[in-house]
Amino acid sequence: DIQMTQSPSTLSASVGDRVTITCRASQSVSSWVAWYQQKAGKAPKLLIYKASNLERGVPSRFSGSGSGTEFTLTINNLQPEDFATYYCQQYGDFFLTFGGGTKVQI
Amino acid sequence: QVQLQESGPGLVTPSETLSLTCSVSGDSMRSYYWAWIRQPPGKGLEWIGYIYPTGSTIYNPSLMSRVDMSMDTSKNQFSLKLTSVTAADTATYFCARGPTMVAKFWGYWGQGTLITVSS
């Protein structure tokens, strides 16, 4: 299986900050990575697909980059509604895997 | 607007079989991948498996021996069966759909249903 190692597991930030979350794949997944946001008690919400493509309706302060084994999710000008947990997911293999999650907190 | 809704028993006895159904409205089932994903309380997401439009399936290797997924397009539903459950299978179970015909990432999700395994 392809492992997705996400860091940090917890991130403390303030409104207006720029935050970066990293996912490292145990082997190349090309650009087949998606990012999700999950708030407490809710289903995850798709933010980014194919490493850098913004899902419709997602604010432009979210961006993704990377290829191969290293991927990043960046949130510019952090807003109060962005405090949540973020997950990466690889789909470069038949068997899908998620990262362990990053909680963005105040 | 595509909507997914999980339904299930809420409580399952250890060693028994967990059965869940996802009801789909707002679109045809024939053109997308459909998945089950779970999340133990306070933990991260775990992919369980997905089913192709043809009805063929791919399962998480760690669960493969206990999982069975099926699809009933006439009812706009797909289902999950997980056998020989233990407390470790206690989780919120989500059904999900890819946003496009070839996507194995998940743009539409059900609200999730909490399944507790306990005697």
Side-chain angles (χ1 to χ4, degrees), chain B:
Chain B
Q1 175 93 13
V2 177
Q3 292 188 321
L4 292 81
Q5 177 68 58
E6 306 89 351
S7 58
L11 180 66
V12 182
T13 303
S15 81
E16 297 294 310
T17 296
L18 163 64
S19 295
L20 294 174
T21 297
C22 183
S23 298
V24 179
S25 59
D27 202 352
S28 164
M29 291 197 70
R30 292 189 177 275
S31 303
Y32 301 94
Y33 291 111
W34 304 88
W36 288 98
I37 294 157
R38 70 181 183 178
Q39 185 171 38
K43 296 188 178 181
L45 301 168
E46 180 181 32
W47 166 70
I48 299 171
Y50 56 82
I51 186 164
Y52 283 99
T54 56
S56 60
T57 52
I58 300 290
Y59 301 140
N60 187 321
S62 69
L63 299 169
M64 192 178 299
S65 63
R66 300 194 292 129
V67 171
D68 181 46
M69 292 176 61
S70 60
M71 178 185 287
D72 187 339
T73 56
S74 66
K75 295 183 178 179
N76 261 31
Q77 293 178 338
F78 65 108
S79 299
L80 169 70
K81 291 188 187 301
L82 183 65
T83 62
S84 304
V85 297
T86 69
D89 296 310
T90 293
T92 296
Y93 286 74
F94 297 98
C95 58
R97 196 204 85 174
T100 64
M101 289 174 59
V102 296
K104 288 185 288 182
F105 54 94
W106 315 108
Y108 297 96
W109 295 69
Q111 65 186 21
T113 185
L114 176 61
I115 300 298
T116 301
V117 179
S118 175
S119 55

Side-chain angles (χ1 to χ4, degrees), chain A residues 30-95:
Chain A
S30 184
S31 295
W32 305 120
V33 167
W35 290 92
Y36 302 87
Q37 176 194 67
Q38 187 181 31
K39 297 183 179 179
K42 300 293 187 181
K45 173 187 174 183
L46 178 66
L47 300 175
I48 301 280
Y49 61 95
K50 204 176 177 184
S52 61
N53 291 270
L54 197 65
E55 174 69 348
R56 283 181 303 174
V58 174
S60 59
R61 63 180 181 272
F62 291 91
S63 63
S65 64
S67 66
T69 61
E70 293 274 341
F71 301 89
T72 59
L73 172 69
T74 300
I75 312 172
N76 288 302
N77 187 22
L78 196 69
Q79 296 298 297
E81 60 268 30
D82 300 336
F83 290 95
T85 301
Y86 294 84
Y87 295 93
C88 60
Q89 178 222 319
Q90 68 78 20
Y91 52 103
D93 186 63
F94 280 115
F95 305 121

